[in-house]
Amino acid sequence: MKTIDELLAEGVEGKRVFVRADLNVPLADGTITDDGRIRAVLPTVTKLADAGAKVIVASHLGRPKGAPDPVFSLLPAAERLGELLGKPVAFAQDTVGPAAHDAVDGLEPGQVAVIENLRFNAGETSKDDTERGEFADKLAALADVYVGDGFGAVHRKHASVFDLPARLPHYAGFLIATEVGVLKKLTEDVKRPYVVALGGAKVSDKLAVIDQLLGKADRLLIGGGMAYTFLKAQGHEVGISLLQEDQVPQVKEYIKRAQDNGVELVLPVDVLVSTEFPDLKTKAPANPTTVAADAIPADQEGLDIGPETRKLYASKLADAGTVFWNGPMGVFEHPDYAEGTKAIAQALLDSPAFTVVGGGDSAAAVRILGFDENAFGHISTGGGASLEYLEGKTLPGLAALEN
């Protein structure tokens, strides 16, 4: 895989460099609530611009249906990118049409443009190779060189991620090079004990990675909504907690495999429960009750790990050599259910281990809850991409850059 360092050594003065970034930031009423993914691509964009490239930044945002939708416009991200760069950023109101060409044609060396949401064109996400290829051809006409730096999208076989690199000289940006280097530390020559903390809503989202980790990790800590399927598999009442009943047989098998393989599988010993889901807009007090994990009332829902579980999980992280964390421990967006996720983040900071926060909601939680991002070993920008890499899958975007 060629990297941006090689591209810079070759020289980019006056070249049109297409940077596939991941600007898929969360928005609330058009306002960015977490700009972490924009900041993650800054080193690549800055270096290219400083070297005299004409930088074209492209990304998706949300899931529009292959047609323009103002709700998913990249304009707020483009404006924030300009603020962070400290200079104007041109914005094209289409992807490959006249506005995009005008924006690119108007660039002087060292200037930056952002084109509109790639998913406003159906060719970006099409499963038809020809349709994707036609869109990639149009994108290729905008540029001389391709730099892949949208790690959060490399697990997608999309035109700008998979097909476009084949049409231009291609290089990995600083972010992707860093992400791949970190993930190799989780799969090759891992410093032990290797502890993985998994949370989030659905156990089905994590089945494949759990399957792989049962042969690699020393310890698995389970929290979040997925924990209740594990508790159910142990025969416990989980009330009205989030439960994937159809996954119980698979989870039972994993519990047995963990025991057979000598992997320590740690589940909550107590949880915070309530009869109703908290109001995340008003953040009104929820007044939860703490109960033993095997004594959840039939009319109550588990919404966070309890204080004893927080202590237990912290102790299981204290002696780790390597830690990978993906998924919050509870409904961290509400202050009454944020303590479990806070406890995991703090335990990672207190641990001497090499710590990786695996993107998605975990990365958002670290920022929202006020932790210093730089204090962690690495905070990934791609939750789904990180998990699929750990599952051992071939990621289309990385394969395209390696070709």
Side-chain angles (χ1 to χ4, degrees), residues 2 23 31 52 63 75 84 117 121 133 142 196 239 253 269 272 298-299 305 327 331 359 363 369:
K2 286 188 175 182
L23 308 181
T31 300
R63 296 188 177 183
L75 179 58
L84 293 168
N117 193 333
N121 190 302
L142 295 170
V196 178
E253 181 191 329
V269 294
L272 299 188
D299 64 342
I305 57 174
V331 187
L369 297 176

Side-chain angles (χ1 to χ4, degrees), residues 30-116:
T31 300
I32 297 170
T33 58
D34 179 7
D35 66 358
R37 285 176 170 168
I38 301 174
R39 287 185 285 110
V41 79
L42 280 179
T44 290
V45 173
T46 301
K47 274 282 190 180
L48 289 169
D50 288 349
K54 300 175 181 180
V55 186
I56 306 140
V57 180
S59 176
H60 70 286
L61 191 151
R63 296 188 177 183
K65 306 298 184 183
D69 183 339
V71 172
F72 298 109
S73 175
L74 273 176
L75 179 58
E79 291 174 340
R80 181 59 179 150
L81 177 62
E83 291 172 359
L84 293 168
L85 289 172
K87 62 182 179 181
V89 167
F91 180 70
Q93 293 183 325
D94 60 25
T95 55
V96 292
H101 282 274
D102 288 347
V104 173
D105 291 344
L107 290 175
E108 296 292 332
Q111 292 184 337
V112 180
V114 174
I115 62 174
E116 186 54 285

Side-chain angles (χ1 to χ4, degrees), residues 140-224:
L142 295 170
D144 305 306
V145 181
Y146 177 92
V147 172
D149 215 30
F151 181 74
V154 294
H155 58 314
R156 305 296 186 193
K157 192 177 182 180
H158 291 169
S160 66
V161 175
F162 179 74
D163 302 272
L164 183 55
R167 289 157 167 79
L168 294 170
H170 47 271
Y171 304 80
F174 292 122
L175 176 62
I176 279 187
T178 298
E179 293 274 12
V180 171
V182 166
L183 288 170
K184 284 183 176 178
K185 289 185 179 181
L186 299 179
T187 55
E188 303 170 10
D189 194 26
V190 181
K191 185 178 180 182
R192 297 186 179 277
Y194 179 19
V195 184
V196 178
L198 294 176
K202 296 180 179 179
V203 70
S204 58
D205 293 342
K206 307 288 197 305
L207 284 178
V209 76
I210 292 171
D211 184 65
Q212 287 291 317
L213 290 170
L214 286 174
K216 296 175 181 176
D218 299 299
R219 202 174 290 152
L220 285 179
L221 315 181
I222 306 295

Side-chain angles (χ1 to χ4, degrees), residues 238-253:
V238 297
I240 57 172
S241 305
L242 187 63
L243 172 66
Q244 288 187 282
E245 190 84 48
D246 61 322
Q247 302 297 334
V248 168
Q250 183 69 73
V251 169
K252 284 183 178 179
E253 181 191 329

Side-chain angles (χ1 to χ4, degrees), residues 5-42:
D5 286 323
E6 294 171 83
L7 172 60
L8 291 167
E10 294 166 9
V12 293
E13 176 76 33
K15 290 184 179 179
R16 300 171 302 165
V17 181
F18 188 103
V19 177
R20 199 338 179 156
D22 179 9
L23 308 181
N24 185 28
V25 291
L27 296 170
D29 299 322
T31 300
I32 297 170
T33 58
D34 179 7
D35 66 358
R37 285 176 170 168
I38 301 174
R39 287 185 285 110
V41 79
L42 280 179

